């Protein structure tokens, strides 16, 4: 009998991998560790996951494959004994206003079925309880739950006339097309202040029905239609789900809108018939609004024998959410308000309910956003997946997750070109005896900070009552490093992002949002290094700096400086092929002939930050490169598209560009995301440098090494959801040790 106890990889060369050969045990938990950029993701995602998905897709017919994503064959000699792969990543769940925690986990579908079977009075089958179906949605708000209106005070300046720019919405700026239609319609006195309009004139301006007229614009006559300005705004922006519009359009229209609960359904999203149907006195919207930890108790009290199978299914799935630390969420929470970590854990809930076995589950840092208290819940779920007969691969830095591995693969020894090798394979107890960066840092945790900076003053957060916050007033010290901590859902993000930043809008936010989605933007252009490099090449060759830009004169004419040619195949996926003229180098041949110290501009863009730091002696270039190096990004190549960076990398590259500023207030959101234990010390050095330069730094963080090295801690809790929203501790890390009512305190010396 052929033994297929291992996934076998031979000769993997994706990205920085050095011909890696690896045996991964099946039906076990294998955890991949190593510094950022060492090659973990190249093995797990770019090689194993990509090949598993590619081979699965090839089992479908050509017609079906036309609608599936295309995966290129990874650079590997062979992969054997692959299972079907399910990747559970940190991509945030989108879906607009109609997608909720309940709909995306399918829990709401079971709840609808329950109400259609045992709810009283009977109103119809399960789709009668769906806010995404015409039979169930509220007719007033189309199932969104909110009625969006127009803020007339922001929309109009009634002291002005139309000719003076009385309509403040940018579409109606003086001389714009919409303004021209309005003023040429003949319906209004264009020089009369709006304050002097009669009720009839104002009604016509704001809500007038479409009025056709003929007007001369320039020398040509045109047939035009005037529509009331608020009526048109409502049709264009309010009648549609605003979240489906481009980000630029959302930002444009947001200041002119007011949001309030729908007057008919009061935010419940459903029509009155659906809301009239109840079980044990509660309708479906009231159940969906409960936190999962409360809802499970309500479901357990339903004793109707007809409901038994649905009650069993609901309690099982709700218990999965509780087990994974999401008991503070409600089923009606919109998915696009969830963090990356919450999104990943929601996806896990779906898979835990699956009866598929012998599946290859791949997780990307599942502890992101989890308090140390909840990490053991996550490890328990990983073990459940394994025990059902699946193979589990996890890319992770958290020591408590590494401990539960059946098998560990440590990749390194360092990042970029200095990584890409397997430096250790085996169980946890053997890793502790190995001489690798991971092993050394597993054995040596950081001590508690003993001396603390004294506050220079205080920034006050007043009357914070957003989401679950209990009308808090909190003082944040200036000139020190403050860490805001607490379990998931305790109110950390609400306190800082939704209240502090509104009350203190001058603060600089360094978060994990994308820094650029253009293929033309890279670390060299974003940090300003490229401007200096172009000058160096220009001086060395006595030519114009613009020659050394692939966005300007130096661009290869065949691919316009992209390095590839895009072929649109209509209904098929478009295809990118390397440019035949420049070979992917992005520049004209004549530009590549110019060199500095034997390197062309293309060679420089292929260098890692660390390599470029060793190559360039120029002070300004070195300063910018050093900032990236210090934030643990020494492995990034200068020409890597920013659209390929992870959330943690985006945050650190933003930090690198901000390091030289003084006297500012900075807010960082989980900056340790994606960082190996060996890089936490470097990150703390940078944080301390920011504070020592005279800045105030506020960090939302779960990492215990960062918490131990704070000057001041604000601990939120005590739990998540309605059991949170309070400040349970304010003070130094040393004082936190004695705060036994704090959950964080119990883990500080862990």
């Amino acid at each position: 009998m052929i033994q297929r106890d291992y996934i076998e990889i031979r000769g993997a060369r994706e990205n920085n991998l050095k011909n890696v050969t690896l045996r991964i045990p099946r039906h076990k938990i294998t955890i991949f560790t190593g510094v950022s950029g060492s090659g973990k993701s190249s093995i797990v995602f770019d090689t194993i996951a990509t090949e598993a998905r590619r081979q699965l897709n090839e089992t479908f017919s050509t017609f079906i494959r036309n609608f599936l994503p295309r995966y290129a064959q990874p650079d590997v000699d062979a992969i054997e004994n692959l299972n079907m792969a399910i990747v559970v990543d940190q991509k945030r769940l989108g879906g607009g206003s109609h997608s909720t925690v309940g709909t995306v986990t399918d829990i709401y579908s079971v709840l609808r079925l329950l109400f259609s079977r045992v709810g009283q009075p009977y109103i119809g089958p399960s789709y009668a309880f769906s806010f995404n179906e015409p039979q169930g949605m509220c007719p007033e708000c189309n199932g969104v739950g909110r009625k969006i209106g127009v803020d007339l005070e922001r929309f109009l300046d009634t002291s002005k006339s139309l000719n003076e720019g009385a309509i403040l919405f940018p579409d109606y700026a003086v001389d714009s097309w919409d303004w021209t239609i309005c003023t040429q319609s003949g319906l209004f006195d264009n020089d009369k202040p709006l304050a002097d309009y009669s009720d009839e004139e104002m009604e016509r301006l704001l809500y007038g029905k479409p009025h056709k007229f003929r007007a001369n614009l320039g020398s040509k006559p045109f047939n035009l239609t005037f529509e009331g300005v608020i009526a048109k705004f409502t049709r264009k922006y309010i009648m549609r789900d605003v979240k489906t519009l481009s980000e630029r359009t959302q930002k444009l229209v947001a200041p002119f809108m007011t949001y309030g609960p729908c007057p008919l359904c009061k935010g419940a999203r459903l029509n009155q018939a659906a809301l009239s149907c109840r079980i044990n006195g509660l309708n479906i919207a009231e159940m969906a609004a409960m936190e999962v930890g409360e809802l499970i108790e309500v479901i357990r009290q339903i004793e109707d024998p007809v409901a038994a199978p649905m009650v069993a299914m609901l309690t099982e799935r709700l218990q999965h959410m509780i087990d994974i630390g999401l008991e503070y969420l409600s089923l009606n929470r919109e998915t696009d308000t969830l963090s990356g970590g919450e999104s990943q854990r929601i996806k896990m809930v779906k898979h835990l309910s699956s009866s598929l076995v012998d599946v290859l589950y791949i997780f990307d840092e599942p502890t992101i956003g989890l308090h140390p208290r909840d990490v053991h819940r996550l490890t328990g779920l990983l073990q459940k997946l394994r025990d059902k007969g699946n193979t589990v691969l996890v890319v992770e830095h958290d020591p408590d997750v590494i401990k539960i591995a059946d098998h560990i693969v440590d990749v390194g020894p360092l990042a970029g070109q200095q990584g890409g090798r397997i430096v250790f394979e085996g169980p946890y107890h053997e890793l502790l005896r190995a001489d690798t960066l991971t092993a050394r840092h597993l054995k040596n945790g950081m001590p508690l900070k003993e001396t603390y900076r004294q506050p220079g003053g205080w920034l006050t957060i007043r009357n914070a009552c957003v989401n679950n916050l209990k009308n808090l007033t909190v003082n944040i010290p200036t000139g020190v490093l403050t860490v805001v901590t607490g379990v998931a859902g305790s109110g950390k993000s609400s306190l800082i992002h939704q209240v502090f930043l509104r009350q203190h809008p001058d603060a600089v936010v360094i978060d994990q949002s994308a820094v650029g989605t253009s293929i033309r933007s890279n670390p060299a252009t974003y940090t300003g290094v490229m401007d200096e490099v172009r000058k160096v090449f220009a001086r060395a060759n006595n030519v114009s700096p613009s020659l050394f830009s692939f966005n300007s004169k130096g661009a290869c004419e065949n691919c316009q400086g992209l390095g590839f040619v895009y072929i649109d195949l209509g209904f098929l996926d478009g295809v990118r092929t390397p440019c035949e003229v420049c070979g992917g180098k992005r520049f004209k041949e004549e530009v590549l002939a110019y060199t500095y110290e034997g390197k062309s501009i293309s060679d420089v863009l292929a260098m890692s930050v660390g390599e470029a730091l060793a190559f360039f002696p120029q002070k300004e270039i070195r300063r910018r490169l050093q900032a990236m190096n210090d934030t643990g990004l020494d492995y990034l190549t200068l020409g890597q598209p920013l659209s390929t960076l992870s959330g943690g990398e985006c945050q650190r590259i933003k930090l690198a560009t901000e390091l030289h500023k003084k006297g500012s207030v900075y807010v960082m959101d989980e900056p340790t995301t994606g960082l190996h234990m060996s890089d936490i010390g470097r990150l703390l050095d940078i944080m301390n440098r920011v504070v020592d330069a005279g800045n105030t730094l506020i960090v939302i963080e779960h990492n215990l090494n960062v918490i131990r090295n704070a000057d001041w801690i604000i601990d939120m809790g005590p739990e998540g959801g309605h059991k949170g929203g309070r400040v349970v501790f304010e003070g130094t890390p040393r004082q936190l040790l004695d705060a036994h009512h704090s959950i964080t305190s119990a883990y500080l010396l862990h």
Side-chain angles (χ1 to χ4, degrees):
M1 184 179 170
I2 300 170
Q3 289 296 312
R4 293 194 174 90
D5 295 336
Y6 294 89
I7 297 170
E8 302 213 11
I9 302 167
R10 293 196 295 277
R13 293 174 293 274
E14 275 296 312
N15 302 324
N16 68 335
L17 297 180
K18 308 293 194 297
N19 224 32
V20 165
T21 294
L22 191 58
R23 295 177 89 216
I24 300 166
R26 297 175 72 219
H27 309 126
K28 304 285 186 188
I29 298 173
T30 297
I31 293 186
F32 289 77
T33 63
V35 298
S36 305
S38 61
K40 306 184 299 296
S41 294
S42 298
I43 296 172
V44 177
F45 297 101
D46 301 338
T47 303
I48 298 173
T50 299
E51 182 62 4
R53 287 166 152 183
R54 187 186 72 81
Q55 290 192 20
L56 178 66
N57 286 4
E58 288 196 348
T59 64
F60 296 105
S61 68
T62 305
F63 176 75
I64 296 293
R65 289 206 303 270
N66 289 335
F67 300 96
L68 297 173
R70 292 244 163 87
Y71 298 103
Q73 193 160 353
D75 189 0
V76 60
D77 292 339
I79 305 182
E80 294 176 1
N81 306 331
L82 270 180
N83 309 60
M84 183 189 81
I86 293 177
V87 176
V88 187
D89 58 21
Q90 295 161 30
K91 285 182 183 157
R92 295 186 182 225
L93 292 160
S97 303
H98 286 271
S99 178
T100 65
V101 167
T103 59
V104 82
T105 56
D106 295 330
I107 295 174
Y108 190 72
S109 303
V110 184
L111 197 61
R112 288 195 286 118
L113 188 63
L114 177 70
F115 269 82
S116 71
R117 296 282 172 84
V118 300
Q120 293 297 328
Y122 175 79
I123 64 151
S126 68
Y127 57 73
F129 297 93
S130 171
F131 45 79
N132 291 327
E133 298 281 351
Q135 297 89 336
M137 66 174 57
C138 169
E140 185 77 15
C141 63
N142 294 330
V144 175
R146 293 188 300 271
K147 195 70 177 168
I148 306 172
V150 181
D151 188 338
L152 280 179
E153 288 186 8
R154 291 198 172 191
F155 210 90
L156 303 174
D157 182 347
T158 55
S159 68
K160 293 180 178 177
S161 66
L162 291 175
N163 279 339
E164 292 170 326
I167 304 174
L168 302 178
F169 184 59
D171 282 8
Y172 290 89
V174 174
D175 292 330
S176 67
W177 180 249
D178 283 341
W179 176 86
T180 301
I181 291 174
C182 191
T183 54
Q184 293 288 316
S185 66
L187 298 172
F188 311 103
D189 180 344
N190 299 330
D191 292 312
K192 179 176 172 181
L194 264 53
D196 297 338
Y197 273 35
S198 66
D199 290 346
E200 187 184 343
E201 286 173 314
M202 188 60 86
E203 178 71 20
R204 191 185 306 141
L205 175 67
L206 300 183
Y207 304 105
K209 289 188 165 55
H211 166 75
K212 290 184 166 62
F213 65 95
R214 195 167 175 81
N216 289 319
L217 299 177
S219 57
K220 292 183 179 179
F222 282 86
N223 290 321
L224 300 172
T225 302
F226 168 77
E227 183 181 4
V229 295
I230 300 300
K232 186 173 183 178
F233 182 91
T234 301
R235 178 174 57 78
K236 279 181 73 176
Y237 303 114
I238 292 178
M239 297 300 284
R240 301 169 64 182
D241 184 352
V242 108
K243 289 177 180 174
T244 63
L245 302 173
S246 71
E247 193 174 333
R248 181 176 170 275
T249 304
Q250 287 186 49
K251 284 183 178 174
L252 176 74
V253 302
F256 300 93
M257 288 181 167
T258 57
Y259 294 83
C262 168
L264 180 59
C265 70
K266 307 290 189 293
R269 298 169 171 252
L270 295 162
N271 60 34
Q272 296 305 297
L275 295 175
S276 70
C277 180
R278 296 178 178 271
I279 298 175
N280 293 348
L282 294 169
N283 65 32
I284 193 168
E286 289 165 341
M287 286 197 188
M290 288 180 172
E291 289 178 10
V292 164
E294 292 180 327
L295 177 59
I296 194 168
E297 297 305 323
V298 169
I299 296 296
R300 281 177 176 146
Q301 288 165 13
I302 299 171
E303 295 174 348
D304 190 317
V306 176
M310 290 158 281
V311 167
M313 191 178 294
L314 282 169
T315 50
E316 181 193 7
R317 293 188 182 184
L318 292 169
Q319 190 61 48
H320 285 325
M321 287 189 67
I322 293 166
D323 290 344
I324 211 163
L326 295 176
E327 68 274 7
Y328 59 89
L329 292 183
S330 56
L331 297 185
N332 67 0
R333 172 88 173 259
E334 291 179 14
T335 50
D336 54 9
T337 66
L338 300 173
S339 69
E342 287 169 334
S343 299
Q344 187 176 32
R345 295 198 290 284
I346 284 287
K347 293 173 195 172
M348 284 181 80
V349 170
K350 286 192 75 170
H351 297 307
L352 282 163
S353 306
S354 166
S355 24
L356 291 172
V357 295
D358 220 356
V359 172
L360 176 63
Y361 284 103
I362 298 175
F363 292 93
D364 186 10
E365 292 189 57
T367 59
I368 283 176
L370 272 187
H371 189 274
R373 192 276 304 267
D374 296 321
V375 170
H376 76 277
R377 294 178 172 185
L378 178 95
T379 56
L381 288 172
L382 295 175
Q383 289 165 327
K384 267 188 192 172
L385 281 174
R386 175 200 62 194
D387 295 343
K388 280 173 71 174
N390 301 303
T391 303
V392 180
L393 307 187
V394 188
V395 174
E396 187 53 85
H397 296 296
D398 190 292
D400 288 329
V401 181
I402 297 171
K403 278 176 193 167
I404 64 112
D406 300 307
H407 188 72
I408 295 166
V409 177
D410 199 9
V411 188
L414 299 172
Q417 285 308 305
Q418 295 176 286
R421 295 184 172 88
I422 307 301
V423 293
F424 171 82
E425 290 178 79
Y428 180 76
H429 66 272
E430 287 183 14
L431 174 63
L432 292 178
R433 297 199 295 267
D435 185 24
T436 72
L437 263 178
T438 303
R440 288 199 292 274
H441 283 84
L442 278 172
K443 288 179 281 194
N444 303 314
M446 285 189 185
L448 200 68
K449 189 173 180 176
E450 292 294 347
T451 57
Y452 307 107
R453 298 178 184 91
Q454 293 306 304
W458 300 87
L459 299 169
T460 302
I461 302 174
R462 290 185 177 84
N463 308 119
C465 49
V466 173
N467 299 330
N468 67 337
L469 298 178
K470 309 291 194 289
N471 200 25
L472 303 180
T473 295
V474 188
N475 290 316
I476 295 180
T478 59
V480 306
L481 169 56
T482 296
V483 174
V484 182
T485 186
V487 297
S490 60
K492 304 181 299 297
S493 294
S494 299
L495 182 71
I496 300 302
H497 285 292
Q498 297 190 41
V499 184
F500 175 79
L501 290 175
R502 282 182 191 165
Q503 295 182 3
H504 302 274
D506 296 333
V508 179
V509 181
I510 305 174
D511 60 13
Q512 297 183 28
S513 60
V515 284
T517 52
S518 167
I519 190 72
R520 295 181 178 274
S521 191
N522 56 46
T525 55
Y526 184 79
T527 58
V529 167
M530 200 62 194
D531 294 334
E532 301 300 320
V533 169
R534 281 197 286 267
K535 290 175 191 171
V536 168
F537 269 82
R539 282 195 297 269
N541 296 281
N542 201 23
V543 290
S544 165
S546 60
L547 263 184
F548 301 100
S549 169
F550 51 70
N551 295 324
S552 185
K553 291 179 183 174
C556 165
E557 289 168 356
N558 186 54
C559 64
Q560 279 78 52
L562 286 173
F564 60 82
V565 176
Y566 182 80
I567 303 166
D568 189 348
L569 298 178
F571 67 90
L572 297 175
D573 287 349
V575 172
R576 289 179 180 181
T577 56
C579 174
E580 293 176 0
V581 176
C582 68
K585 292 186 174 178
R586 309 177 85 165
F587 293 92
K588 293 176 184 171
E589 198 172 337
E590 64 200 70
V591 176
L592 296 174
Y594 295 118
T595 62
Y596 169 73
E597 296 293 328
K599 300 285 186 186
S600 71
I601 190 72
S602 181
D603 295 333
V604 167
L605 284 173
M607 289 179 179
S608 69
V609 168
E611 289 166 343
L613 199 52
F615 179 74
F616 286 103
Q618 289 81 7
K619 187 178 175 184
E620 188 57 26
I621 293 177
R622 290 183 64 79
R623 183 181 70 78
R624 294 170 192 259
L625 290 171
Q626 189 65 48
M628 279 196 284
N629 186 75
D630 290 347
T631 55
L633 297 176
D634 50 316
Y635 59 91
L636 289 185
T637 59
L638 297 185
Q640 180 176 338
L642 290 182
S643 55
T644 65
L645 267 55
S646 69
E649 287 169 337
C650 288
Q651 184 162 215
R652 295 198 293 282
I653 203 167
K654 289 177 194 173
L655 180 60
T657 61
E658 298 281 351
L659 282 177
H660 59 284
K661 296 182 180 174
K662 290 180 172 58
S664 302
V665 176
Y666 290 103
V667 172
M668 298 181 73
D669 194 351
E670 294 196 45
T672 61
T673 298
L675 272 186
H676 186 262
M677 293 166 278
S678 64
D679 290 323
I680 304 291
R682 291 165 79 180
L683 180 68
L684 280 166
D685 288 343
I686 295 158
M687 290 180 177
N688 285 323
R689 196 190 316 165
V690 168
V691 177
D692 290 339
N695 300 302
T696 298
L697 182 55
I698 303 163
V699 182
I700 301 169
E701 188 56 83
H702 292 296
N703 184 277
L704 290 169
N705 284 331
V706 175
I707 296 169
R708 290 179 192 122
N709 282 275
D711 296 307
W712 192 257
I713 291 172
I714 296 172
D715 194 28
M716 301 293 294
E719 291 284 346
H722 76 282
K723 294 178 183 174
R726 296 183 173 87
V727 175
V728 296
F729 171 81
E730 294 174 86
T732 66
R734 174 61 59 189
Q735 292 167 332
L736 179 59
L737 279 179
D738 299 323
H740 302 301
H741 58 286
S742 157
I743 291 172
T744 306
S745 173
Y747 291 86
L748 205 55
L749 294 180
H750 182 52

